Amino acid sequence: FNSTTEGDNLTPAEGSRFSLYPGCVAEVPLHATSVWYKVVFGYEAYVVEFDGSEVRIPSLDGVSIDTSYTTDLLPGKDNFTGTPNNYTWSALLTYQPRAQQAGSQNKICVTASDEWLMRTTRRCIYITTGTCKACLRSGQSLGALAAEYQTDWLQIWATNPRMGNPDVIQIGANAKLINIGVLYKARAGETPLSVSERMYWSVERMVALNPQLTTFGTTAEAAKNRTLIEGQSLCVVPPVCGLICPGEGKCYRQPVSQNAGYVA
């Protein structure tokens, strides 16, 4: 979980930008002060499109706010009103994006309100969820991760030469990023269909692995021929284990009957 904005490790500054990958866990500490009354934390979520426009969404999958933290009296005797009744309330916002959120950018506005919602303070941050990499979630195997991305564990293992034993992979705070595929920078005028044909890969799986292609009502079928922006990143998983390239001839996909264990 990386921040591109300097801060004091408390509630991030307005407009702070962070990045992470599906399966990885982001933890954002929240602190608010009040006099006498209880603070209620919440959040608002927005999707940020490629053109920079922001669209409000009801909620963001993978976000939770833990308010089980205790309240502490602020240190010092001259806090705001000079009385010992100024308290700081703390919470922890956790975000663990899913595979289908890869390649997306969201704005999360954390809110701190009194319990009657008469006054609300907002602090907005931006979180970009990367693509083509992921962290294993608690209890998730490499095979389960591969299935989530519609590929094979052997393909992922081959894409991570330093992984070592696939049965011994760290999760949690010490988790290492796992390569799902490779990033491809689109050329002007290309479409997911034309790219997938060059990669000997299924366009349906390309669209599924790049959910940003189907944002805001664009159907999976329409996304196949969606014109890509020059330089736009796509995650691709070329079926290197399922190709046959005889001599100098053109490569072709190996029939499943000849390689039944491979699914990418």
Side-chain angles (χ1 to χ4, degrees), residues 86-105:
N86 293 292
Y87 289 85
T88 177
W89 295 76
S90 300
L92 186 68
L93 183 144
T94 301
Y95 179 43
Q96 187 177 34
R98 312 293 193 251
Q100 62 268 26
Q101 292 165 291
S104 64
Q105 183 179 10

Side-chain angles (χ1 to χ4, degrees), residues 16 44 76 79 88 94 96 105 108 119 126-127 150-151 155 166-167 196 200-201 209-210 235 242 251 263-264:
S16 295
E44 302 167 357
N79 294 321
T88 177
T94 301
Q96 187 177 34
Q105 183 179 10
I108 298 178
R119 182 177 179 182
Y126 292 87
I127 298 182
Q150 301 185 44
T151 186
Q155 174 83 24
D167 294 326
S196 66
Y200 301 95
W201 194 35
L209 191 57
N210 294 273
C235 183
C251 297
V263 298

Side-chain angles (χ1 to χ4, degrees), residues 93-174:
L93 183 144
T94 301
Y95 179 43
Q96 187 177 34
R98 312 293 193 251
Q100 62 268 26
Q101 292 165 291
S104 64
Q105 183 179 10
N106 298 98
K107 181 172 80 169
I108 298 178
C109 294
V110 181
T111 59
S113 310
D114 61 85
E115 51 193 320
W116 301 280
L117 302 180
M118 296 178 63
R119 182 177 179 182
T120 299
T121 299
R122 299 166 75 250
R123 181 72 60 86
C124 299
I125 61 175
Y126 292 87
I127 298 182
T128 298
T129 303
T131 185
C132 256
K133 297 179 185 290
C135 292
L136 282 181
R137 299 192 301 274
S138 178
Q140 187 179 40
S141 66
L142 190 61
L145 177 68
E148 198 169 83
Y149 287 92
Q150 301 185 44
T151 186
D152 185 87
W153 75 266
L154 188 59
Q155 174 83 24
I156 293 182
W157 184 72
T159 313
N160 294 269
R162 298 184 180 181
M163 179 181 292
N165 187 343
D167 294 326
V168 184
I169 303 176
Q170 292 180 318
I171 60 174
N174 296 319

Side-chain angles (χ1 to χ4, degrees), residues 140-232:
Q140 187 179 40
S141 66
L142 190 61
L145 177 68
E148 198 169 83
Y149 287 92
Q150 301 185 44
T151 186
D152 185 87
W153 75 266
L154 188 59
Q155 174 83 24
I156 293 182
W157 184 72
T159 313
N160 294 269
R162 298 184 180 181
M163 179 181 292
N165 187 343
D167 294 326
V168 184
I169 303 176
Q170 292 180 318
I171 60 174
N174 296 319
K176 294 182 179 180
L177 286 175
I178 296 175
N179 295 317
I180 301 299
V182 294
L183 282 177
Y184 173 80
K185 298 291 186 180
R187 303 171 184 173
E190 286 189 313
T191 65
L193 180 59
S194 65
V195 173
S196 66
E197 289 175 346
R198 290 177 53 212
M199 300 289 178
Y200 301 95
W201 194 35
S202 163
V203 65
E204 288 78 14
R205 290 184 176 173
M206 173 174 284
V207 171
L209 191 57
N210 294 273
Q212 71 272 21
L213 296 173
T214 55
T215 54
F216 298 112
T218 302
T219 64
E221 189 63 32
K224 297 178 183 179
N225 293 295
R226 181 176 180 174
T227 302
L228 301 172
I229 301 173
E230 185 172 5
Q232 183 175 343

